[in-house]
Amino acid sequence: MGCVRPPPSLPPRFGLDPARMRLPVSDEWATVRDHVVGRVPLSPAQVDAMFAAGRFHDQHGPLPIDAPYVSGGSVWFHRDLPDEAPVPFAVEVAFREDRVLVADKPHFLATIPRGRHVRETALVRLRDEHGLPDLSPAHRLDRPTAGVVLFVIAREDRGTYQNLFRDRRVSKTYEAIAPYRPDLGTPQVVRSRIVKERGIVTAREVDGEPNAETLVEVLEYRDDPALGAIARYRLTPHTGRTHQLRLHLCSLGVPILGDTFYPRVRDVGLDDFRAPLQLLARTLSWPDPRTDEPVTVHSRRRLQAWDDPAGWAAGP
């Protein structure tokens, strides 16, 4: 009863595995239904309707409403999904081989399901579009950030690739569009201590031993009629703290264009796809775990504020 994988009778829906509910070792409940009523935030009538529709399964198939409670067992079901604003941009495949897939993620698409974003995530779309039910990310990009993200195709390979990131054997470069300051002095290495507190959307820099490091370089700059003096920056992070690149450019006095968190939080609707954050994960490099040969993947995306500044500036 305690198998980890979902039962064959309840396949993924929209690329999402069903939720697993473990049944505690107890004789407190006579039926599975009695236990479910106390576990899920639904009325008894809603739970009964789900049983009637065959939505609760064990490893043998759908459970009837009077199915006896099995101490230590498991039950699977698909949760109701939140209403989501469709993200009108495709997630593309930049690289694929037998063990990994590198997605070229658009702005506004979250990497994995979380909170109000479930179906409109790169993971769910890729699982559904490419028939890869066990696909999982080896790392993540923030929802506003576009660019390359590494996914692992098979469950048994997940740890191998996650360990590459843990051991800092993966190299990443980003590009950003931000104001240009001739007095900035680049290339420059920015080091600071960044903390992110649970329940607070922004991270912050505090005094103390640095735990975040970014190499900042100016690739080119110009005076633009719509945006003023702007530059295209290359950012090479040597650590991976939450919002590290956004904080480090902001601390230099050149916040990334389109940033709704730094230097101040701005309220923008989830269905407002104008003026995306001008931050792009440009390259991703790692040693192949089998051969140790280097693999490098490049994003094919472009940052709008550099290519079409007037169009980008027409946003909010």
Side-chain angles (χ1 to χ4, degrees):
M1 287 291 292
C3 66
V4 173
R5 295 183 70 90
S9 61
L10 199 58
R13 181 184 63 168
F14 308 121
L16 284 170
D17 285 334
R20 181 189 182 200
M21 180 185 293
R22 294 177 175 85
L23 305 180
V25 176
S26 174
D27 59 2
E28 180 180 349
W29 302 278
T31 66
V32 173
R33 182 261 182 201
D34 294 340
H35 175 69
V36 170
V37 166
R39 281 283 300 276
V40 299
L42 300 171
S43 70
Q46 290 173 306
V47 171
D48 292 347
M50 290 177 68
F51 271 102
R55 292 180 58 183
F56 290 101
H57 289 229
D58 66 6
Q59 78 274 25
H60 302 297
L63 292 170
I65 197 169
D66 60 350
Y69 186 84
V70 179
S71 180
S74 293
V75 173
W76 288 264
F77 66 101
H78 281 294
R79 302 182 187 276
D80 290 328
L81 300 179
D83 291 331
E84 299 178 64
V87 177
F89 312 109
V91 56
E92 300 173 357
V93 175
F95 174 82
R96 180 174 176 179
E97 47 101 64
D98 59 331
R99 300 210 290 180
V100 300
L101 179 154
V102 178
D104 202 352
K105 187 183 82 67
H107 300 286
F108 303 111
L109 192 70
T111 301
I112 62 170
R114 187 175 181 181
R116 292 174 290 180
H117 308 289
V118 179
R119 291 183 63 182
E120 293 299 316
T121 60
L123 176 63
V124 172
R125 282 196 187 178
L126 290 166
R127 281 182 172 180
D128 194 35
E129 293 171 7
H130 296 276
L132 299 172
D134 293 335
L135 193 73
S136 61
H139 69 121
R140 304 175 192 177
L141 288 181
D142 292 340
R143 178 177 177 265
T145 305
V148 286
V149 189
L150 177 65
F151 290 85
V152 183
I153 292 174
R155 292 174 188 251
E156 58 266 25
D157 294 324
R158 185 183 306 168
T160 298
Y161 285 89
Q162 289 177 336
N163 288 344
L164 291 178
F165 285 87
R166 182 199 65 190
D167 298 338
R168 298 187 180 181
R169 301 188 68 196
V170 180
S171 300
K172 296 176 278 186
T173 66
Y174 291 73
E175 289 183 15
I177 310 302
Y180 174 65
R181 279 183 49 193
D183 62 333
L184 191 57
T186 59
Q188 177 178 161
V189 175
V190 182
R191 298 181 181 91
S192 69
R193 184 166 190 83
I194 293 175
V195 297
K196 173 71 167 64
E197 298 173 9
R198 189 179 183 87
I200 299 177
V201 296
T202 56
R204 59 192 177 95
E205 293 178 300
V206 298
D207 294 335
E209 184 70 21
N211 62 3
E213 180 178 312
T214 305
L215 171 63
V216 178
E217 302 171 274
V218 173
L219 296 175
E220 53 184 326
Y221 63 91
R222 68 174 183 234
D223 284 315
D224 183 83
L227 299 174
I230 58 173
R232 188 165 66 92
Y233 293 86
R234 178 166 58 211
L235 310 174
T236 306
H238 298 296
T239 53
R241 296 291 168 178
T242 299
H243 298 172
Q244 174 179 321
L245 304 180
R246 298 160 70 176
L247 270 170
H248 278 174
L249 279 195
C250 190
S251 71
L252 293 176
V254 287
I256 298 173
L257 299 184
D259 199 332
T260 60
F261 281 4
Y262 308 100
R264 67 184 186 282
V265 175
R266 293 186 288 118
D267 187 19
V268 177
L270 293 177
D271 58 350
D272 188 340
F273 303 116
R274 301 171 296 167
L277 175 71
Q278 295 301 279
L279 180 62
L280 173 69
R282 173 60 72 194
T283 66
L284 195 61
S285 302
W286 69 92
D288 185 292
R290 292 169 293 190
T291 66
D292 216 35
E293 289 294 316
V295 181
T296 300
V297 181
H298 300 266
S299 171
R300 294 187 289 268
R301 297 186 183 276
R302 305 281 296 179
L303 290 171
Q304 184 188 8
W306 192 259
D307 290 351
D308 179 22
W312 183 89

